Amino acid sequence: TITYSDRYTPDSRDQLLTKISRQLKPARFEHVQRVEATAIKLAKQYGVNVEKASIAGLIHDYAKQRPDKDFIDAIHRYKLDPDLVNWNNAIWHGVVGAELIKTELGIFDEEIIDAVRFHTTGNRYMTKLAQIIYMADYIEPARDFDGVEKARLLTSQNLALAVAYQTKHTLMYLLTNNQRIYPKTIDTYNAWVPQSG
Ligand code: GDP
Ligand code: FE
Ligand code: FE
Ligand code: FE
């Protein structure tokens, strides 16, 4: 396994794993390790920093199992967009979780933090690292849904087309289920889907 340089986290990988495992139930802890492994493979393929891919994969759901009140407090404490209080864990754990990660894990690398921030909704601008985390979360080996094989193939062939594929399919899923659409999800759709053919 990979040894961290200590440029991006004050912890060794083992120390980081311990901190994450204290935040997550076993099934979720297993998921983040599969996302890490998937992200490392993609980073090697696409020439992205493997250490950043490992860290971002491991921490992307760091805040997923926090109580709502932690997010509400953080939205005020960090003076985030006040409209965030009208959303829920699905949106908070990435966007607000990114702030908790800086404070609690001492990880400040903007590219890693943005990859966490954008992992659920995407964003109109995403670095290759952010695209990789977005896709790794969607296609990690335990994911099983109609279209996952197509998503895996696209991810191995063309990252931008894969991002477009996930964005479109997630939006269709949300619409079909009468879910509220977070505005950033629409931005992501407009930036990635129409020109993807
Ligand atoms: P996970 O944390 O590994 O389970 O995966 P994600 O962070 O990618 O997604 C968390 C949840 O957010 C999923 O159930 C998505 O369908 C949901 N989600 C993504 N975008 C939106 C949105 O715009 N609105 C709502 N209501 N939910 C969304
Ligand atoms: Fe997530
Ligand atoms: Fe996701
Ligand atoms: Fe995840």
Side-chain angles (χ1 to χ4, degrees):
T1 72
I2 145 170
T3 302
Y4 291 165
S5 64
D6 102 64
R7 272 192 283 277
Y8 307 115
T9 154
D11 291 313
S12 69
R13 184 172 172 283
D14 276 355
Q15 290 170 320
L16 188 60
L17 278 170
T18 299
K19 289 181 181 178
I20 293 163
S21 72
R22 289 194 192 114
Q23 296 286 323
L24 301 177
K25 297 188 180 125
R28 181 62 51 177
F29 184 55
E30 295 295 319
H31 161 71
V32 302
Q33 291 176 87
R34 290 189 298 269
V35 171
E36 180 207 22
T38 305
I40 287 174
K41 277 191 217 162
L42 291 170
K44 288 177 177 161
Q45 181 186 344
Y46 287 107
V48 164
N49 184 311
V50 169
E51 182 178 344
K52 287 196 188 194
S54 165
I55 295 167
L58 287 177
I59 67 175
H60 81 280
D61 278 339
Y62 173 79
K64 181 90 176 183
Q65 286 164 343
R66 302 283 282 250
D68 286 0
K69 124 180 189 323
D70 287 23
F71 293 111
I72 304 281
D73 288 350
I75 290 164
H76 297 299
R77 181 161 8 102
Y78 299 108
K79 302 192 191 323
L80 305 180
D81 177 357
D83 177 60
L84 274 169
V85 299
N86 301 311
W87 293 87
N88 56 30
N89 178 282
I91 301 301
W92 291 335
H93 80 280
V95 176
V96 185
E99 305 303 321
L100 300 176
I101 285 169
K102 287 193 255 184
T103 301
E104 297 175 17
L105 297 179
I107 295 169
F108 299 101
D109 181 85
E110 272 302 312
E111 195 190 12
I112 295 175
I113 293 296
D114 274 350
V116 172
R117 226 177 234 138
F118 304 149
H119 87 265
T120 304
T121 62
N123 193 61
R124 51 189 199 286
Y125 303 108
M126 282 190 276
T127 66
K128 279 255 185 321
L129 177 70
Q131 294 174 50
I132 282 172
I133 298 304
Y134 185 67
M135 291 317 305
D137 189 31
Y138 196 58
I139 66 165
E140 59 93 339
R143 295 291 198 200
D144 185 13
F145 55 85
D146 283 343
V148 72
E149 283 307 332
K150 168 93 179 183
R152 289 186 178 119
L153 184 66
L154 276 175
T155 303
S156 72
Q157 291 175 338
N158 183 320
L159 210 41
L161 289 184
V163 168
Y165 181 87
Q166 174 179 175
T167 298
K168 176 174 171 169
H169 284 258
T170 298
L171 185 55
M172 288 196 299
Y173 167 85
L174 293 167
L175 293 171
T176 300
N177 291 283
N178 294 338
Q179 300 282 306
R180 296 172 71 211
I181 310 299
Y182 188 62
K184 199 129 264 164
T185 299
I186 311 268
D187 282 357
T188 305
Y189 172 85
N190 283 332
W192 291 87
V193 178
Q195 81 274 23
S196 74

